[in-house]
Amino acid sequence: MELIEQFALVNTPVFLKTVKMLLAVMYIIHLPYIGMLLGNTLFSLIFNAMDKQQPNGLHATFSRRLIDSVAFRKSISLVFGVLPLMVITLIYIQILQSGGASTTLFLIYSLVPIVLGLIAVNVYRITFSQRSYLSILIGAAGIGLLLVGYFVLIASVARFHEPDRWKFVTSLTSLLVSYNAIGNYLTFLMASLAISGAGIVFFIFKWQNDSENDTPEFQRYARQFGVIISLIFTLLIPIFLIFSFITLPDVAWSNSMMFSGILVIIVLAIISLVLTAMLQRNDLKYGISLFVLFIIAYSLLVITNAITRENSLVELSKTINLKGEAMLAELIPERGEVGSGLTDYARGEDIYKRICSTCHRFDKQIVGPAYNTVLGKYENDINKLVAFVSKPTKVNPDLPPMPNLGLKINDVEAAAGYLIKTYQEEYK
Amino acid sequence: MNKIIPRLLIAGYFSIFIIIIVGLGWAWHTYREAPDQPIAYSHNKHINFVGLECTHCHAYADRALMPGIPPLQTCMECHENVATDRPEIIKLTAYWNKKEPVPWINVNYLPPHVYFTHKRHVKRGFECAECHGDIAHMDKVRQVKSFRMGWCVTCHRANNGPTDCWTCHK
């Protein structure tokens, strides 16, 4: 936990806002990619196994084409897979600091099976030409590792929305046994398989040039498979999305979160209508639009998730911001030399009128004591008054404690100088 | 005709989910959303900027079953003079002048069949935030913890507290 705190930088409101936006961008880059990777590998494994059981040229070609798609290239895997995942983890450490320490630790642990899974999937792609059972086994192990890794990751992220449970999340079981985590995970799986279907249509027929060399039979088969798979899983997404909404704690809800959720449903409806049209016309006219719509749906899902997180963590964000502002205030150099404010009576009077007079008067007690009863002890030691106002402590047990006003030292000096001068000239 | 039916079915199917979200939202807004209080009192401002202690206002938090809602007198100790021109303080002063209590809405509520003693939990060393969330940073009070039986029992188990029925259901 100390290590997590060491990793985190000083947060200021602007910095925090920026990293949260970066988090959303990373998710929008990562989730569609990993969804397609998962789906394509799964379908490739199924068709590969089917071909091994009963040789079928169509299945073998389709299995190869799925694994050859752009998602599996090393550079793409790094830019869209590993890198965003690292950034996402670092951002969560930054946002939560030590607030959700145990959940953040599980998030870090989830990276292990995910990276191993990505390696195994890559090995499956490289050894695909051998067409061996070992290759299929490695691919299946890769899928298994990715599924486990993403469950832990999604459960950790879901727990961020439940600060009241943080204290109780001490083991992997207590992390994973959460209806909301299960709802989010199933939504993620459905979305992954749905975008995989769209990806088959988009990448195999619109992106890769060798689609012209494919037989019409293969083209028809792959097209129909992609569209049907995409349609089935798009129709299933809202069921699990609603389930994850129902299982959210009350603090995560807000009007904007519901509005965002409704927008997700509307985009999913449009996607389903486009897929139905593609199925009815048996063409790929809307392939690009379909893919863009999926990216929009993912973006809206990420935004919905960000809204629920913000709703849950309102107080934590305030605490972190206050801490950051206090630390920054210590780092920012003071205006002028220490002691230079003592004779700036005009500034002192302004500060007295704006701030001090809320609780103090020279001749009567309001919230704090009357100045003419307390300033005498500071008359010959103005620095003591400056020190007290800079870091006030409770003096009179019958009165409320004086708050720390957060003033710069020169401002405190100016106020102290004005108070002592006025006291000596008018109230002593 | 054949093309229209699937489209209508899809539109109808997704409409059901939109209706469900709207319904859930209505239920949350009606029963679970943090209520607007008669005066927009901010714990954040009074604790973090003024520097008050929780027990300054909730005087019985560590010595009675109920923590106590401060009487108007406590507010007026300061607000007779402080920030008297602010709209919320004007409302407060109006209650004070009419000699009427502020009708605060209970947020952290336990049903009557639950016996809960505030002082027992405070004396055991629990911070206010353990049950009330980070109330010190709340501008509008909301219920952060579920206060469902499962939540209470999990906490009792984690802290070796009693878990027999009689403890909470006399």
Side-chain angles (χ1 to χ4, degrees), chain B residues 145-157:
Chain B
K145 313 288 169 154
S146 72
F147 288 165
R148 295 205 176 106
M149 200 168 110
W151 180 80
C152 297
V153 172
T154 309
C155 193
H156 271 229
R157 278 186 189 147

Side-chain angles (χ1 to χ4, degrees), chain A residues 185-307:
Chain A
Y185 183 62
L186 291 173
T187 309
F188 161 77
L189 285 186
M190 297 305 120
S192 296
L193 295 170
I195 199 170
S196 291
I200 290 169
V201 173
F202 182 64
F203 283 104
I204 291 185
F205 297 104
K206 293 278 176 192
W207 196 277
Q208 291 175 344
N209 297 327
D210 56 351
S211 62
E212 286 154 17
N213 303 327
D214 292 328
T215 62
E217 192 193 3
F218 172 78
Q219 286 194 2
R220 191 174 50 81
Y221 184 80
R223 207 161 50 205
Q224 277 200 344
F225 179 82
V227 172
I228 290 171
I229 283 290
S230 192
L231 182 59
I232 290 171
F233 289 103
T234 303
L235 290 172
L236 288 173
I237 294 171
I239 297 172
F240 298 104
L241 186 67
I242 296 285
F243 179 72
S244 67
F245 277 7
I246 293 171
T247 51
L248 270 174
D250 294 333
V251 286
W253 277 76
S254 67
N255 291 331
S256 48
M257 167 251 178
M258 283 177 290
F259 181 68
S260 183
I262 288 172
L263 285 181
V264 174
I265 302 283
I266 291 171
V267 174
L268 290 176
I270 297 169
I271 289 173
S272 303
L273 289 171
V274 170
L275 285 164
T276 315
M278 285 171 86
L279 209 59
Q280 285 169 337
R281 290 174 181 219
N282 204 18
D283 65 18
L284 297 170
K285 196 179 161 193
Y286 305 117
I288 297 169
S289 323
L290 181 69
F291 198 72
V292 172
L293 280 167
F294 262 108
I295 299 297
I296 294 171
Y298 263 101
S299 307
L300 287 168
L301 276 170
V302 168
I303 290 168
T304 312
N305 191 273
I307 296 171

Side-chain angles (χ1 to χ4, degrees), chain B residues 107-118:
Chain B
V107 177
N108 289 292
Y109 168 79
L110 279 171
H113 63 272
V114 179
Y115 173 79
F116 178 83
T117 151
H118 213 267

Side-chain angles (χ1 to χ4, degrees), chain A residues 247-427:
Chain A
T247 51
L248 270 174
D250 294 333
V251 286
W253 277 76
S254 67
N255 291 331
S256 48
M257 167 251 178
M258 283 177 290
F259 181 68
S260 183
I262 288 172
L263 285 181
V264 174
I265 302 283
I266 291 171
V267 174
L268 290 176
I270 297 169
I271 289 173
S272 303
L273 289 171
V274 170
L275 285 164
T276 315
M278 285 171 86
L279 209 59
Q280 285 169 337
R281 290 174 181 219
N282 204 18
D283 65 18
L284 297 170
K285 196 179 161 193
Y286 305 117
I288 297 169
S289 323
L290 181 69
F291 198 72
V292 172
L293 280 167
F294 262 108
I295 299 297
I296 294 171
Y298 263 101
S299 307
L300 287 168
L301 276 170
V302 168
I303 290 168
T304 312
N305 191 273
I307 296 171
T308 54
R309 186 191 63 233
E310 285 310 296
N311 292 340
S312 295
L313 304 180
V314 173
E315 291 87 24
L316 181 72
S317 301
K318 267 188 215 164
T319 317
I320 292 172
N321 277 342
L322 283 173
K323 217 163 89 182
E325 278 173 358
M327 285 173 82
L328 265 187
E330 280 179 23
L331 296 173
I332 294 169
E334 302 291 347
R335 278 181 293 168
E337 292 292 313
V338 173
S340 64
L342 288 169
T343 50
D344 193 349
Y345 301 124
R347 183 143 62 106
E349 186 177 3
D350 174 56
I351 293 164
Y352 166 73
K353 283 183 178 161
R354 277 192 299 113
I355 300 166
C356 316
S357 66
T358 312
C359 296
H360 294 282
R361 298 283 189 283
F362 279 91
D363 53 354
K364 66 170 182 175
Q365 178 185 315
I366 309 178
V367 179
Y371 280 142
N372 59 10
T373 63
V374 291
L375 282 181
K377 60 182 169 186
Y378 299 113
E379 210 180 344
N380 298 319
D381 192 359
I382 196 165
N383 288 332
K384 207 169 141 192
L385 177 61
V386 172
F388 175 76
V389 178
S390 301
K391 272 193 180 171
T393 49
K394 192 175 173 88
V395 179
N396 187 339
D398 298 329
L399 299 174
M402 177 162 156
N404 188 332
L405 303 165
L407 294 170
K408 291 197 175 296
I409 190 73
N410 296 153
D411 290 337
V412 179
E413 284 172 352
Y418 168 77
L419 292 179
I420 295 293
K421 181 176 169 274
T422 313
Y423 168 70
Q424 286 173 334
E425 289 174 358
E426 296 176 36
Y427 295 95

Side-chain angles (χ1 to χ4, degrees), chain B residues 8-154:
Chain B
L8 283 176
L9 282 173
I10 285 171
Y13 174 78
F14 282 99
S15 303
I16 292 169
F17 293 105
I18 292 176
I19 292 165
I20 292 173
I21 293 181
V22 172
L24 285 170
W26 174 83
W28 168 80
H29 185 71
T30 313
Y31 300 108
R32 311 297 296 179
E33 193 182 6
D36 287 324
Q37 297 288 355
I39 294 169
Y41 172 82
S42 163
H43 280 80
N44 184 28
K45 198 171 281 175
H46 286 81
I47 293 174
N48 295 304
F49 297 98
V50 180
L52 296 182
E53 300 282 336
C54 303
T55 46
H56 185 91
C57 301
H58 302 288
Y60 308 109
D62 56 351
R63 39 194 172 119
L65 294 182
M66 305 290 273
I69 299 294
L72 262 174
Q73 232 166 340
T74 312
C75 312
M76 296 311 285
E77 275 173 18
C78 298
H79 284 296
E80 202 164 3
N81 296 298
V82 175
T84 48
D85 55 336
R86 310 266 166 87
E88 297 306 306
I89 306 305
I90 292 169
K91 278 194 237 169
L92 181 83
T93 313
Y95 281 110
W96 173 250
N97 290 336
K98 283 189 280 179
K99 302 283 173 224
E100 272 178 24
V102 183
W104 300 111
I105 302 163
N106 198 344
V107 177
N108 289 292
Y109 168 79
L110 279 171
H113 63 272
V114 179
Y115 173 79
F116 178 83
T117 151
H118 213 267
K119 69 169 178 184
R120 189 71 59 216
H121 289 79
V122 176
K123 288 202 165 152
R124 172 75 166 69
F126 291 108
E127 296 290 330
C128 309
E130 299 260 1
C131 301
H132 295 290
D134 190 3
I135 201 156
H137 287 94
M138 285 183 198
D139 286 306
K140 183 181 184 184
V141 174
R142 58 181 188 161
Q143 186 183 326
V144 173
K145 313 288 169 154
S146 72
F147 288 165
R148 295 205 176 106
M149 200 168 110
W151 180 80
C152 297
V153 172
T154 309

Side-chain angles (χ1 to χ4, degrees), chain A residues 114-136:
Chain A
I114 290 174
V115 171
L116 288 175
L118 288 172
I119 293 169
V121 164
N122 206 36
V123 172
Y124 167 67
R125 185 183 69 89
I126 294 164
T127 56
F128 183 84
S129 54
Q130 295 173 9
R131 311 301 312 277
S132 64
Y133 276 113
L134 182 67
S135 166
I136 295 175

